[in-house]
């Protein structure tokens, strides 16, 4: 059995774990806030440290002589998988950062790089909620909205590693200007901050809600997750915010059904904490908008590996790139 | 050398031709208005007749003993390629029509069925403007807007033959209601009738334009093609109608670039007669909206096989289904 270290570099958290090639478990799980202030050097040092800790924990559990094949890294894009370079990450402030080779040098192990959302979707296909899917689309809803396409168990990268940027498909051509330069991007309406902002606006306008109690009155700490939790606990105002989000997401997913006709759509991120309050109206919106044979063929599910899908997927991406035909 | 008869069943025209397996030519080209009034029986009879004529012309040219392998049919969807059934075609009024087997029985030859837009895009990949593309997306702009995805030379059907319905991806979630049940579908803004309607509205509102001369004053005969031709000839009003269309299409193509990151997008249909008046602002819109690595990787081209892409593609689809691994 060979082992791969999966590294999930997020704008918020850095997550690392050691995964056997059969994906049966995850050893030496590590999570820390990403060292953003330290720039590329800080991040590489932090990755080096967490990988070292993860490996030593894995060795303590499995034996000192386990076969470590390499390191699979998932990072925010746009990036170039061939050169292993992160081209630009607004959240981390990196430009043309040769992350793959820097991590590989620091740890003396071969490494691969892929988009973080691609990795999360691949992880859900490999070990999570999208198992068995042949045409799997995933949305990762967090600070932004990432996405990934997994066809027959392989990440579909497109011609230049851009494929799957579902958060930057417009849902209204003359809509809200997005950071990316486009107008009306899904991300501008349904990412975590947009959900929190809609809730905050409602609270400030006097909505009757228990939501402030979830953040001890510190409204600037509202997140999509707190809104989702309050909705799940029955708060009517938060339920409405979630329902609005569900309609927006459902419309976007309907487009993906008509464009790609997937058999699985997996939704990842804190917003899935809202459970059926999100999924019921969302799936209903998809049913009303998309072609019937497309709706019938597709199951829409929440991710089942919160916090670890990206690590599993980064390890799987390593195997595909280093051992496979990718 | 084996030969395949390609049949392109459109809501307006029925086109038939006999194609050698290397795609080097097209023999016995036939085109007639589709017999819509005659229902399924009328259409099958018409296909039988045109295929027979096409084959006898091909035999006259190539010899009586040429090897006819079968018939590839492209038809409007939604349809089921496995059973060879057209599920529903609003334009032709068919429901659950076993087109493949009826044509096969009528002519005593094996047959296959695929979506007409899929076939057109496959034809452009095989013999037309999309040659060499690995990730090819096509839009067929006519009475509706069809689409197709060709990956590594194979039609990507999706889980239930719905993939590639780009005309029914919404560009405005709260926009115009579409016949399909969705709101704001691209088809409702940029298909031929929508272009003609915008032109007609402008003329009726007193726009200064030579357009009426193109239809001898019969404004009800305005089509996207006449608008495109007048624009190409320099009519300022029609140029503006085309520019508007270009912005809408460009926004939709930008979404496809961010979702699928193609290396070729091919645009088919009469509207391409507008040439650079359409393509320049359209490509500019894509550049402004889509991710840069996606824009750089993608060429956007007009189809080069007007009237025959669907026939070539139907023949190629036959080979893929009957001889290949599809």
């Amino acid at each position: 059995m060979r082992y791969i270290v999966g590294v999930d570099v997020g704008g918020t958290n850095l997550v690392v774990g050691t995964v056997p090639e059969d994906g049966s478990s995850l050893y030496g799980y590590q999570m820390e806030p990403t060292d953003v202030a330290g720039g590329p050097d800080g991040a590489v040092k932090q990755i080096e440290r967490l990988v070292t800790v993860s490996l030593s924990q894995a060795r303590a559990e499995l034996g000192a002589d386990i076969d470590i094949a390499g390191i699979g890294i998932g990072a925010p894009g746009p990036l170039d998988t061939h050169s292993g370079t992160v081209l630009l990450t607004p959240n981390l402030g990196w430009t043309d950062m040769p992350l793959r080779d820097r991590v590989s040098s620091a740890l003396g192990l071969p490494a691969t790089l892929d988009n973080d959302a691609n990795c999360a979707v691949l992880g859900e296909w490999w070990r999570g909620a999208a198992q068995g899917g042949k045409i799997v689309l995933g949305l990762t809803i967090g600070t932004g909205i990432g996405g990934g396409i997994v066809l027959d168990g392989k990440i579909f990268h497109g011609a230049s590693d851009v494929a799957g940027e579902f958060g930057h498909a417009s849902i209204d051509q003359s809509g809200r200007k997005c950071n990316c330069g486009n107008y009306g991007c899904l991300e501008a309406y349904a990412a975590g901050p947009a959900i929190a902002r809609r809730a905050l606006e409602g609270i400030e306008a006097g909505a009757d809600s228990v939501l402030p109690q979830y953040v001890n009155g510190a409204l600037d700490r509202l997140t999509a997750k707190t809104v989702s939790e309050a909705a799940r606990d029955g708060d009517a105002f938060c339920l409405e915010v979630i329902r609005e989000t569900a309609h927006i997401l459902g419309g976007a997913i309907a487009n993906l059904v008509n464009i790609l006709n997937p058999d699985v759509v997996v939704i990842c991120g804190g917003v899935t904490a809202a459970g059926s309050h999100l999924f019921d109206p969302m799936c209903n919106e998809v049913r009303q908008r998309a072609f019937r044979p497309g709706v019938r063929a597709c199951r829409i599910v929440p991710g089942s590996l919160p916090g670890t899908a990206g690590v599993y997927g980064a390890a799987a991406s390593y195997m595909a790139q280093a051992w496979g035909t990718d």
Side-chain angles (χ1 to χ4, degrees), chain A:
Chain A
M1 184 76 79
R2 291 167 291 185
Y3 293 80
I4 304 100
V5 188
V7 177
D8 183 5
V9 185
T12 307
N13 290 317
L14 176 62
V15 190
V16 176
T18 302
V19 178
E21 63 183 297
D22 66 359
S24 56
S25 191
L26 192 151
Y27 301 91
Y29 178 82
Q30 304 293 317
M31 184 175 85
E32 279 185 8
T34 306
D35 178 0
V36 179
D41 292 348
V44 171
K45 282 215 179 75
Q46 189 184 21
I47 291 169
E48 184 183 357
R49 180 167 50 79
L50 293 192
V51 169
T52 305
V53 174
S54 178
L55 279 174
S56 68
Q57 289 186 5
R59 288 191 175 110
E61 213 168 328
L62 298 159
D65 59 345
I66 56 170
D67 180 3
I68 308 298
I71 304 166
I73 310 164
L79 48 74
D80 178 24
T81 55
H82 294 289
S83 66
T85 306
V86 176
L87 302 177
L88 185 74
T89 52
N91 290 334
L92 295 169
W94 303 348
T95 310
D96 293 327
M97 152 74 156
L99 183 61
R100 179 191 68 194
D101 292 349
R102 291 199 59 181
V103 169
S104 176
S105 300
L107 285 148
L109 283 166
T112 61
L113 179 67
D114 212 320
N115 177 275
D116 55 352
N118 285 352
C119 289
V121 180
L122 184 61
E124 289 289 349
W125 171 82
W126 191 29
R127 300 304 307 163
Q131 283 179 62
K134 288 180 193 309
I135 303 169
V136 177
L137 310 185
L139 288 151
T140 58
I141 302 175
T143 312
I145 295 187
I149 303 171
V150 172
L151 304 182
D152 290 324
K154 291 186 173 189
I155 293 170
F156 178 79
H157 288 102
S160 56
D161 293 320
V162 168
E165 288 286 356
F166 306 141
H168 299 282
S170 171
I171 60 168
D172 178 1
Q173 284 197 351
S174 50
R176 192 187 286 268
K177 174 102 180 175
C178 178
N179 292 332
C180 76
N182 199 352
Y183 292 84
C185 287
L186 175 63
E187 177 169 304
Y189 297 89
I195 297 169
R197 190 190 58 236
R198 287 208 311 273
L200 179 63
E201 285 169 3
I203 298 286
E204 288 179 341
D208 181 23
S209 169
V210 297
L211 186 58
Q213 297 168 22
Y214 284 72
V215 288
N216 296 315
L219 292 180
D220 58 329
R221 282 174 44 216
L222 281 181
T223 65
K225 202 174 175 196
T226 47
V227 176
S228 295
E229 285 166 355
R232 198 190 46 200
D233 296 346
D235 183 75
F237 167 72
C238 288
L239 282 169
E240 185 51 36
V241 172
I242 293 297
R243 197 147 40 222
E244 215 174 68
T245 309
H247 290 152
I248 294 167
L249 286 171
I253 295 169
N255 284 354
L256 295 176
V257 167
N258 284 357
I259 290 170
L260 277 161
N261 193 11
D263 53 2
V264 181
V265 173
V266 58
I267 313 290
C268 305
V271 68
T272 59
S276 63
H277 297 304
L278 177 75
F279 276 77
D280 288 354
M282 186 175 77
C283 294
N284 192 42
E285 192 78 16
V286 175
R287 263 193 302 277
Q288 285 180 15
R289 287 179 178 263
F291 276 36
R292 206 162 304 162
V295 172
R296 280 206 202 101
C298 184
R299 61 187 164 98
I300 303 174
V301 294
S304 64
L305 302 170
T308 59
V311 171
Y312 276 109
S317 171
Y318 176 88
M319 293 191 287
Q321 286 192 49
W323 304 344
T325 54
D326 258 355

